[in-house]
């Protein structure tokens, strides 16, 4: 794309030489993950069945990874066939994050257990209960009963059921906050964000975090 747009009014201004240096770095990671099995060569080829089975390309590698962990890698075709059926049962949610993974994972469960909906993830139950919002088509009442039993259904806007948390989050991460975005980071990823804040502070103030002792208030530099 950079080469195609070069010299036009849409020129990206990106340096092709530097991009190739970046490519060399990621090619080593590619080889590493192929050898370790985290990246399957099957997923590097175009699979036109994704159009038939309504499976986004980004889901394929995740589905295969889940099947490998269960020792059922040979069941990928069955899972792909099961995805549109699960989607139909659950009111045709759009297959984008997070509902794509919810539907895909449930399809995996249906196949590897040998019985549809014998096991359901909590996320799939929440989807059927309406906690992710109203689905494009209504979900059959009997199916809802099968998945969530007598648990209450959410028929309103799910976010309206949440209590305001912003001020509480601000207080919890006050010692780390340097900018407003830090509160948002903490709200989404509390553990990861806290680790990042600590490392940021260590670098800023020259603290040796590996040998620090918070209980004794010892901070080697």
């Amino acid at each position: 794309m950079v080469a195609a747009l070069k010299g036009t009014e849409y020129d990206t201004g990106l340096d092709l030489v530097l991009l190739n240096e970046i490519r060399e770095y990621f090619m080593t990671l590619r080889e590493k993950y192929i050898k370790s099995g985290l990246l399957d060569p099957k997923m590097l080829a175009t699979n036109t069945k994704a159009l038939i089975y309504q499976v986004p390309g980004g889901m394929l590698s995740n589905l295969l990874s889940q099947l490998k962990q269960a020792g059922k890698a040979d069941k990928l075709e069955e899972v792909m066939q099961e995805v549109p059926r699960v989607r139909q049962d659950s009111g045709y949610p759009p297959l984008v994050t997070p509902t794509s993974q919810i539907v895909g994972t449930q399809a995996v469960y249906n196949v590897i257990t040998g019985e549809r909906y014998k096991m359901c993830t909590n996320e799939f139950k929440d989807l059927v209960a309406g906690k992710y919002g109203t689905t494009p088509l209504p979900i059959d009442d009997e199916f809802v009963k099968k998945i969530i039993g007598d648990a209450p259904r959410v028929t309103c806007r799910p976010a309206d059921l949440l209590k305001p948390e912003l001020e509480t989050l601000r207080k919890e991460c006050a010692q780390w906050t340097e900018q407003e975005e830090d509160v948002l980071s903490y709200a989404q990823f509390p553990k990861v964000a806290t680790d990042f804040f600590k490392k940021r502070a260590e670098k800023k103030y020259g603290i040796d975090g590996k040998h620090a002792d918070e209980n004794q208030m010892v901070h080697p530099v």
Side-chain angles (χ1 to χ4, degrees), residues 123-135:
E123 290 79 11
F124 186 74
K125 292 178 181 179
D126 288 345
L127 173 65
V128 172
K131 294 183 180 180
Y132 287 87
T134 303
T135 52

Side-chain angles (χ1 to χ4, degrees), residues 12 28 31 36 56 69 75 86 138 145 147 153-154 162 184 193 195 202 215-216 220:
T12 64
T28 62
E31 295 301 319
S36 67
Q69 292 175 21
K75 299 289 186 180
V86 173
K145 178 77 172 178
I147 301 302
R153 299 177 67 175
V154 176
L162 300 176
L184 299 179
D195 290 342
E202 290 169 4
N215 293 328
Q216 298 297 323

Side-chain angles (χ1 to χ4, degrees), residues 98-123:
T99 49
S100 59
Q101 299 303 328
I102 294 172
V103 170
T105 300
Q106 188 57 50
V108 170
Y109 275 43
N110 287 358
V111 169
I112 64 177
T113 60
E115 181 181 337
R116 304 186 75 223
Y117 306 112
K118 180 180 181 180
M119 292 178 60
C120 294
T121 66
N122 290 331
E123 290 79 11

Side-chain angles (χ1 to χ4, degrees), residues 44-209:
L44 302 179
T46 301
N47 191 336
T48 55
K49 290 182 179 178
L51 299 174
I52 299 174
Y53 298 138
Q54 308 168 20
V55 179
M59 279 180 62
L60 291 175
S61 57
N62 188 51
L63 293 178
L64 182 58
S65 176
Q66 291 177 339
L67 288 170
K68 278 186 173 181
Q69 292 175 21
K72 303 282 186 179
D74 58 316
K75 299 289 186 180
L76 180 61
E77 181 71 20
E78 291 182 42
V79 170
M80 290 180 66
Q81 294 175 10
E82 178 66 5
V83 167
R85 291 195 286 263
V86 173
R87 188 181 181 214
Q88 180 181 23
D89 291 339
S90 55
Y92 288 100
L95 293 185
V96 295
T97 302
T99 49
S100 59
Q101 299 303 328
I102 294 172
V103 170
T105 300
Q106 188 57 50
V108 170
Y109 275 43
N110 287 358
V111 169
I112 64 177
T113 60
E115 181 181 337
R116 304 186 75 223
Y117 306 112
K118 180 180 181 180
M119 292 178 60
C120 294
T121 66
N122 290 331
E123 290 79 11
F124 186 74
K125 292 178 181 179
D126 288 345
L127 173 65
V128 172
K131 294 183 180 180
Y132 287 87
T134 303
T135 52
L137 290 181
I139 305 174
D140 181 73
D141 289 337
E142 290 186 8
F143 181 76
V144 174
K145 178 77 172 178
K146 177 180 180 179
I147 301 302
I148 66 171
D150 295 324
R153 299 177 67 175
V154 176
T155 56
C156 62
R157 179 175 175 267
D160 292 339
L161 302 176
L162 300 176
K163 296 179 180 179
E165 297 181 355
L166 184 56
E167 291 308 315
T168 300
L169 293 169
R170 279 201 174 105
K171 293 177 181 177
E172 290 179 359
C173 68
Q175 62 174 316
W176 308 111
T177 304
E178 295 186 5
Q179 54 192 4
E180 188 69 14
E181 289 84 350
D182 290 344
V183 181
L184 299 179
S185 297
Y186 179 77
Q188 297 178 85
F189 314 103
K191 178 63 172 65
V192 176
T194 301
D195 290 342
F196 167 73
F197 297 154
K198 289 180 179 178
K199 291 180 180 179
R200 182 178 64 184
E202 290 169 4
K203 183 176 181 180
K204 182 176 180 180
Y205 300 108
I207 297 173
D208 180 1

